[in-house]
């Protein structure tokens, strides 16, 4: 199998969609202090320098120069069972029909903030806003639909905040994002592997080539793009409010599509004395080996457009007593911008797309791959409680619900997720007047997910007789720690 080095990265995902605390492939893990409340009240609570991401406007409320840095350890499991699949010609695919996938991932972040004047503050941060990662066993029955899936995004964000008056502040951050993605799967060449030695009957000779069972496709790409976030913070005494908008970011991931062991059809080598042709649409026979002819390796420059969605969050932090406060957040995410995965040739001398773009395949010029997604916009809700136990210890807990952006008809083996609920606990321990440490733990679970996936051409029409069906169970845990220092 082809493997390429990838930037370690925290668009890291957990679950087979595996972002532990997120819907789709959005990551929330940029603040451990906010994680303790299940991100309820995020950006409204005045906590630490992680507000650079959570709400740039709230930086005006911090005392002096501050640093916050931390790491989240995500441990996620996906169990699938009762899996079955069919090849392009409708034959049953043999392979693993149940299994367990595990993922352990570290997601780090770091932020710094300071004041320029009484009314003007600034900050900078490095964090991971999006991520997705899954990698199936090579012999699983759905390998013609999904093998590895990875989306990784790392952002650097400089920020300015301005205090309008005693109650209200505004802030703006510009984020520079590096994104990379990898998609791979095994290739089903009209069921040549499933047909096995029965192919010999069509040729009247022993021409079967086992290499077709190891035909593997992988596309890699990366890009740099800019976005922004804008925040408003209101301090109304015992009530603090936040409204924060993160823009969508559009990427054009450019890289290479690579495939191993593809058939050489008779139409492609007509008149070549090195091959024996049975029919134009069937694989030719290599004179040198006496077996079905194959290209051991093909590569083509390609591109893939990716848009990470905008989101808008409203948060509240309400003080009840000197000891107790409650938090709440409502978040909208514009996942409807994710309509499809389109892998298109970017090569002046194409090789792979010469076949994949044909009318019987993807039926669109230059197309190498196409997966319809049609995600929809989602809402997330969270509630939290904070107890200021004493000057050294603050305790937190929270409960959140995240709506899944994928409709039942478009659930895939790459992202087999449902609505999710998670519960978190956290604490802040003041080590001194200048230093503190945040801890958080969260557990996430979701209902069983069923998929029935098929293949489509670039116009959205179903093609071939291939499919994969499976049932999934997902859960995840996160353990996080953050160190804060006031200078």
């Amino acid at each position: 199998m082809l493997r390429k080095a990838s930037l370690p990265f925290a668009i890291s995902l957990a679950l087979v969609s595996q972002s532990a605390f997120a819907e789709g492939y959005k990551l929330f893990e940029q603040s451990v202090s906010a994680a303790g409340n299940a991100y309820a009240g995020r950006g409204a609570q005045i906590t630490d320098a992680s507000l650079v991401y959570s709400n740039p406007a709230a930086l005006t409320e911090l005392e002096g120069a501050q640093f916050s840095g931390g790491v989240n350890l995500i441990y996620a499991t996906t169990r699938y069972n009762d899996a079955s699949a069919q090849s392009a010609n409708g034959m049953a695919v043999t392979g693993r029909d149940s299994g367990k996938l595990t993922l352990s991932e570290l997601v780090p972040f770091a932020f710094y903030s300071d004041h320029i004047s009484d009314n003007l503050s600034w900050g900078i941060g490095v964090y991971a806003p999006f991520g997705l990662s899954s990698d199936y066993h090579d012999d699983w029955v759905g390998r013609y639909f999904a093998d590895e899936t990875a989306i990784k995004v790392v952002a650097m964000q400089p920020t300015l905040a301005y205090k309008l008056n005693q109650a209200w502040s505004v802030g703006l951050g510009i984020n520079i994002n590096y994104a990379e993605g990898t998609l791979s799967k095994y290739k089903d060449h009209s069921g040549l592997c499933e047909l096995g030695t029965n192919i010999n009957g069509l040729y009247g000779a022993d021409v079967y080539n086992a290499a077709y069972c190891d035909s593997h496709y992988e596309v890699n790409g990366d890009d740099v793009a800019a976005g922004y976030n804008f925040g408003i913070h209101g301090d109304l005494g015992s009530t603090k409010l936040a409204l924060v908008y993160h823009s969508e970011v559009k990427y054009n991931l450019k890289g290479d599509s690579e495939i191993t062991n593809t058939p050489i059809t008779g139409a492609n080598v007509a008149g070549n004395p090195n091959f024996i042709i049975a029919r134009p649409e069937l694989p030719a026979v290599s004179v040198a080996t006496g077996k079905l002819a194959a290209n051991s390796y093909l590569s083509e420059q390609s591109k893939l457009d990716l848009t990470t969605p905008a989101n808008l969050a409203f948060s509240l932090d309400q003080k009840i007593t000197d000891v107790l406060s409650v938090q709440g957040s409502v978040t909208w995410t514009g996942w409807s911008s994710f309509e499809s995965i389109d892998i298109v040739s970017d090569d002046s001398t194409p090789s792979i797309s010469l076949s994949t773009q044909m009318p019987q395949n993807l039926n669109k010029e230059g197309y190498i791959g196409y997966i319809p997604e049609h995600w929809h916009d989602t809402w997330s809700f969270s509630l939290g409680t904070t107890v200021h136990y004493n000057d050294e210890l603050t305790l937190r807990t929270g409960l959140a619900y995240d709506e899944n952006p994928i409709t039942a008809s478009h659930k895939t083996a790459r992202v087999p997720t449902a609505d999710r609920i998670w519960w978190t606990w956290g604490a802040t321990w003041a080590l001194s007047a200048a230093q503190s440490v945040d801890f958080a733990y969260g557990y996430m679970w979701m209902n069983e997910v069923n998929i029935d996936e098929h293949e489509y051409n670039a116009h959205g029409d179903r093609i071939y007789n291939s499919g994969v069906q499976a049932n999934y169970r997902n859960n995840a845990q996160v353990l996080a720690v953050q160190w804060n220092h006031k200078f």
Side-chain angles (χ1 to χ4, degrees):
M1 180 185 302
L2 298 176
R3 291 287 181 222
K4 286 193 170 181
S6 63
L7 182 69
F9 157 33
I11 177 183
S12 313
L13 286 200
L15 277 177
V16 161
S17 107
Q18 300 190 149
S19 175
F21 289 148
E23 77 285 356
Y25 54 90
K26 184 182 187 306
L27 290 174
F28 286 151
E29 290 86 357
Q30 302 90 15
S31 172
V32 178
S33 53
N37 291 122
Y39 300 100
R42 186 176 195 176
Q45 279 188 299
I46 303 304
T47 51
D48 48 61
S50 65
L51 287 167
V52 168
Y53 175 85
S54 299
N55 184 3
L59 295 181
T60 61
E61 303 300 309
L62 293 177
E63 297 179 1
Q66 298 194 21
F67 171 84
S68 294
V71 65
N72 300 267
L73 172 61
I74 300 173
Y75 177 77
T77 61
T78 293
R79 294 176 174 85
Y80 64 92
N81 58 64
D82 297 328
S84 60
Q86 303 78 43
S87 66
N89 64 354
M91 297 183 68
V93 177
T94 60
R96 186 192 298 258
D97 62 5
S98 63
K100 175 183 176 182
L101 308 180
T102 62
L103 182 143
S104 298
E105 192 76 46
L106 292 175
V107 182
F109 60 87
F111 298 97
Y112 177 84
S113 69
D114 198 359
H115 297 288
I116 299 173
S117 67
D118 289 343
N119 294 328
L120 188 63
S121 301
W122 73 279
I124 191 167
V126 178
Y127 56 89
F130 292 92
L132 173 68
S133 179
S134 65
D135 195 356
Y136 283 91
H137 302 101
D138 294 349
D139 62 345
W140 96 284
V141 73
R143 58 190 175 274
Y144 295 146
F145 283 81
D147 180 28
E148 181 183 5
T149 305
I151 303 169
K152 302 179 181 181
V153 178
V154 176
M156 182 178 69
Q157 178 189 312
T159 299
L160 284 175
Y162 183 74
K163 194 173 183 66
L164 300 172
N165 52 44
Q166 286 300 109
W168 296 97
S169 299
V170 295
L172 175 68
I174 304 298
N175 46 72
I176 309 300
N177 305 272
Y178 171 78
E180 69 172 4
T182 297
L183 298 174
S184 72
K185 67 175 184 176
Y186 284 84
K187 290 294 291 181
D188 168 18
H189 299 294
S190 299
L192 282 177
C193 179
E194 282 65 43
L195 192 60
T197 56
N198 291 330
I199 191 75
N200 296 336
L202 295 176
Y203 291 82
D206 180 13
V207 297
Y208 170 65
N209 188 347
Y212 292 140
C213 295
D214 287 322
S215 183
H216 188 261
Y217 170 77
E218 182 173 301
V219 58
N220 294 270
D222 60 7
D223 191 20
V224 175
Y228 67 92
N229 64 343
F230 175 78
I232 300 172
H233 187 268
D235 186 348
L236 308 180
S238 60
T239 303
K240 294 180 174 60
L241 304 173
L243 185 67
V244 182
Y245 176 79
H246 289 83
S247 73
E248 71 176 23
V249 180
K250 296 184 177 181
Y251 304 91
N252 183 232
L253 306 179
K254 292 189 176 184
D256 295 312
S257 286
E258 301 172 329
I259 187 170
T260 60
N261 300 319
T262 57
I264 298 175
T265 61
N268 293 331
V269 291
N272 190 324
N274 296 315
F275 300 93
I276 301 171
I277 299 172
R279 292 206 301 264
E281 72 276 12
L282 291 177
V285 176
S286 169
V287 172
T289 64
K291 304 295 183 181
L292 298 181
N295 283 304
S296 60
Y297 175 79
L298 293 174
S299 178
E300 185 168 344
Q301 295 177 24
S302 56
K303 57 186 178 181
L304 187 160
D305 289 336
L306 174 69
T307 299
T308 55
N311 68 83
L312 179 67
F314 172 75
S315 297
L316 176 146
D317 177 30
Q318 180 64 53
K319 182 179 179 180
I320 305 299
T321 69
D322 289 341
V323 173
L324 177 67
S325 62
V326 295
Q327 295 75 39
S329 290
V330 178
T331 303
W332 166 89
T333 304
W335 283 113
S336 58
S337 60
F338 188 30
E339 296 183 353
S340 61
I341 296 174
D342 300 67
I343 304 168
V344 182
S345 175
D346 195 34
D347 203 316
S348 58
T349 57
S351 55
I352 300 173
S353 62
L354 294 177
S355 172
T356 55
Q357 70 183 1
M358 297 299 289
Q360 69 272 24
N361 297 318
L362 296 179
N363 196 24
K364 196 168 184 178
E365 184 177 358
Y367 264 63
I368 298 173
Y370 175 81
I371 305 172
E373 298 292 349
H374 302 299
W375 289 17
H376 61 81
D377 296 347
T378 61
W379 292 91
S380 300
F381 308 91
S382 57
L383 293 172
T385 301
T386 300
V387 176
H388 299 281
Y389 185 75
N390 56 38
D391 290 342
E392 288 76 37
L393 183 63
T394 300
L395 303 175
R396 298 184 175 88
T397 189
L399 189 67
Y401 166 81
D402 289 332
E403 184 183 6
N404 178 53
I406 312 171
T407 59
S409 60
H410 287 93
K411 292 187 186 298
T412 68
R414 293 193 183 276
V415 190
T417 58
D419 297 350
R420 66 202 76 192
I421 296 174
W422 40 279
W423 193 2
T424 69
W425 301 266
T428 301
W429 179 27
L431 304 175
S432 67
Q435 298 185 60
S436 64
V437 179
D438 287 285
F439 303 94
Y441 170 79
Y443 184 83
M444 186 200 72
W445 62 94
M446 67 178 69
N447 291 331
E448 183 178 84
V449 180
N450 303 306
I451 68 162
D452 184 11
E453 186 179 356
H454 302 280
E455 292 190 84
Y456 298 84
N457 66 21
H459 303 285
D461 303 317
R462 184 176 168 182
I463 53 177
Y464 318 137
N465 293 311
S466 52
V468 59
Q469 302 78 36
N471 303 321
Y472 290 86
R473 286 280 187 181
N474 302 316
N475 61 66
Q477 301 177 71
V478 172
L479 182 63
V481 63
Q482 172 181 313
W483 177 65
N484 311 294
H485 183 74
K486 298 178 181 179
F487 296 90

